[in-house]
Amino acid sequence: MSKIMSVNAGSSSLKFQLFKMPEEEVICSGVVERIGQAMGSFTMKRNGEKKVIEEPIPDHGKAVDMLLKALIDDGIVEKLEEIDAVGHRIVQGGPYFSDSAVVDDDVIAKVEELAELAPLHNPAHLVGYRAIAKKLPGVKHVFTFDTAFHQTMDAERYLYPLPYEYYTDLKVRKYGAHGTSHKYVSEQVIDMLGNPKHSRVIVCHLGNGASLSAVQDGKCIDTSMGFTPLAGVMMGGRCGSVDPSIMPYLCKKLNKTPDEILYIYNHESGMKGVSGISSDSRDVENALFNKDGKATAEQSERALLTSLLYARIVSKYIGQYYVELGGCDAIAFTAGVGENAAYLRRLIIDDCSRALSVFLDEEANNIHSSENRIISNEYSKIDVMVIPTNEEVMIARDTVRLLHLDA
């Protein structure tokens, strides 16, 4: 039995889960938020109970101190040496990593080198890693890369039609993201299909960030995010793929720099930009159905447009991947929107139904559950599933496997 900590460090947050492996039992979980702001928040969940501490948390070192202190104070571990290893999520692994990796100086150097491809993520991940490594000397660490699962794509799918030396010299190519989630969900789907020798699965990871992948026989052959997580489908605050010529046009018209327009692409677009309401699909849904009676007619109209546009864009990728896979055995929805927004699932599948003969069971679609489930009806030629994602358990599994802690 091993105790493995899975960590996901962001620029101002640190999410964690402590597992008992190989049972995959969650001992505790939590998040430290608003690191570096005037008032921070530390939340720990254990045995159905939640503990919240609010105080200034100036940096990740303080966040780690609070986490490790809580483990001891709450009796979760008697001593920190009980933690056998720590696994960390890393967004960008570039072309270097097709699997998770045991951390050493070379791995760290490559993650640092790739920071320019994921400036909001890789540096924050390394800050979290270093803070934990300092407090837990002697404990081994594993990096799990969001891009690793997509390294099975072939060149005709990951190359851009730009001068070839941009790829060879500057590493400009499609990398994808959310790979840990896509891998977990596709494995769950294949298991639900009865573990056939051959399978064709389309995974729809729809959260505030969103991406789709085409998975053939358990391997990714294509994915919607590209050189950065901005590409692909419309998201909460991100526009997804748009005509590249819009950038210089807006720079001239609005007298803004490319970086300023890129900020708008990343933070003020998508659901937020089209609806004028919010980047959160729940707020858009509330305005669409006017549940609180506060949405104006214009807000409701734009909420409807937002929902229809979102569904149309996602359904286009499903159609594209259906063709690439030569058919499809299952479409799986996951992540915050995919798992919870029944109305968006219905709109997306409705857009696909005529071409793909895929149909939902409305009652099953409207059930809220944390379990894996099929939501298509008996007439559907493709199974439609909702699979709650679990990136943290994938990090723990890879940590155990690479450090041979299951021996």
Side-chain angles (χ1 to χ4, degrees):
M1 188 272 287
S2 302
K3 290 181 180 176
I4 307 297
M5 181 81 75
S6 289
V7 173
N8 180 358
S11 58
S12 62
S13 65
L14 190 148
K15 299 177 184 177
F16 61 90
Q17 286 194 34
L18 182 63
F19 289 93
K20 182 166 72 173
M21 300 293 286
E23 297 90 338
E24 299 185 356
E25 175 188 335
V26 178
I27 301 171
C28 70
S29 65
V31 60
V32 189
E33 298 177 287
R34 300 194 296 277
I35 297 172
Q37 299 182 25
M39 184 59 67
S41 174
F42 172 88
T43 302
M44 170 89 79
K45 296 179 182 179
R46 181 194 184 198
N47 296 330
E49 297 181 358
K50 183 166 72 171
K51 170 184 179 180
V52 180
I53 299 173
E54 293 193 346
E55 62 179 66
I57 305 174
D59 53 38
H60 284 74
K62 173 64 174 178
V64 171
D65 284 341
M66 294 178 73
L67 165 57
L68 299 180
K69 184 176 185 298
L71 294 178
I72 296 291
D73 290 350
D74 294 355
I76 297 169
V77 297
E78 292 184 7
K79 52 186 179 179
L80 295 177
E81 288 76 13
E82 293 178 30
I83 300 173
D84 295 283
V86 182
H88 303 260
R89 176 204 180 202
I90 307 291
V91 162
Q92 181 58 263
Y96 299 126
F97 301 100
S98 58
D99 192 5
S100 298
V102 178
V103 179
D104 59 20
D105 290 343
D106 180 63
V107 170
I108 292 171
K110 285 184 169 65
V111 173
E112 287 178 328
E113 175 192 334
L114 294 164
E116 62 184 349
L117 302 185
L120 300 179
H121 298 92
N122 276 32
H125 298 323
L126 287 174
V127 168
Y129 157 72
R130 288 179 171 128
I132 292 174
K134 183 178 179 180
K135 303 297 180 181
L136 297 175
V139 171
K140 291 187 177 181
H141 299 257
V142 166
F143 284 170
T144 295
F145 301 92
D146 274 3
T147 49
F149 182 62
H150 304 308
Q151 285 297 301
T152 49
M153 291 187 293
D154 55 32
E156 67 187 72
R157 291 183 172 94
Y158 68 67
L159 280 179
Y160 292 112
L162 295 168
Y164 192 70
E165 58 268 24
Y166 293 176
Y167 163 62
T168 56
D169 299 348
L170 302 175
K171 301 183 180 68
V172 175
R173 52 156 288 182
K174 179 190 286 190
Y175 292 107
H178 300 135
T180 308
S181 175
H182 285 286
K183 182 179 181 182
Y184 174 82
V185 171
S186 59
E187 287 178 356
Q188 294 289 303
V189 171
I190 292 169
D191 182 65
M192 291 180 68
L193 291 173
N195 294 301
K197 183 178 180 181
H198 298 292
S199 59
R200 300 163 299 179
V201 177
I202 298 172
V203 177
C204 306
H205 177 107
L206 307 179
N208 192 263
S211 63
L212 281 76
S213 65
V215 183
Q216 185 166 352
D217 301 338
K219 294 183 178 181
C220 176
I221 65 166
D222 207 351
T223 192
S224 60
M225 281 184 169
F227 180 63
T228 72
L230 178 59
V233 300
M234 171 182 174
M235 306 174 218
R238 283 174 256 177
C239 58
S241 297
V242 296
D243 185 336
S245 299
I246 294 173
M247 168 72 81
Y249 175 82
L250 290 177
C251 287
K252 293 175 184 177
K253 287 292 186 180
L254 302 177
N255 194 28
K256 292 183 180 293
T257 66
D259 283 345
E260 288 173 325
I261 298 299
L262 195 60
Y263 180 88
I264 294 170
Y265 279 8
N266 273 294
H267 300 282
E268 303 295 334
S269 303
M271 286 189 171
K272 182 179 182 180
V274 178
S275 72
I277 297 167
S278 172
S279 62
D280 192 315
S281 68
R282 292 168 294 188
D283 296 330
V284 175
E285 182 179 4
N286 287 339
L288 175 62
F289 295 108
N290 205 11
K291 292 179 180 178
D292 58 5
K294 296 179 182 178
T296 65
E298 181 183 355
Q299 286 176 322
S300 295
E301 184 176 341
R302 287 180 63 176
L304 176 60
L305 174 61
T306 301
S307 303
L308 293 173
L309 179 59
Y310 184 93
R312 181 64 64 185
I313 293 171
V314 173
S315 69
K316 285 182 180 180
Y317 273 92
I318 291 175
Q320 175 186 329
Y321 292 163
Y322 182 93
V323 172
E324 288 199 58
L325 289 165
C328 181
D329 301 306
I331 299 168
F333 289 94
T334 193
V337 176
E339 294 170 29
N340 298 298
Y343 82 103
L344 283 176
R345 291 195 300 260
R346 177 170 52 80
L347 290 175
I348 292 166
I349 295 302
D350 280 353
D351 282 346
C352 299
S353 60
R354 185 173 61 177
L356 306 184
S357 295
V358 56
F359 308 103
L360 290 186
D361 180 317
E362 287 295 334
E363 183 177 347
N365 183 48
N366 289 323
I367 293 173
H368 288 275
S369 171
S370 60
E371 302 295 323
N372 295 348
R373 60 196 188 277
I374 295 176
I375 59 171
S376 48
N377 66 24
E378 67 269 28
Y379 303 107
S380 182
K381 292 185 178 179
I382 302 171
D383 286 333
V384 183
M385 302 176 182
V386 177
I387 309 289
T389 193
N390 195 334
E391 295 164 291
E392 290 77 14
V393 78
M394 295 297 284
I395 294 171
R397 288 175 184 173
D398 281 0
T399 301
V400 168
R401 173 174 57 86
L402 290 174
L403 295 176
H404 307 291
L405 298 174
D406 51 352

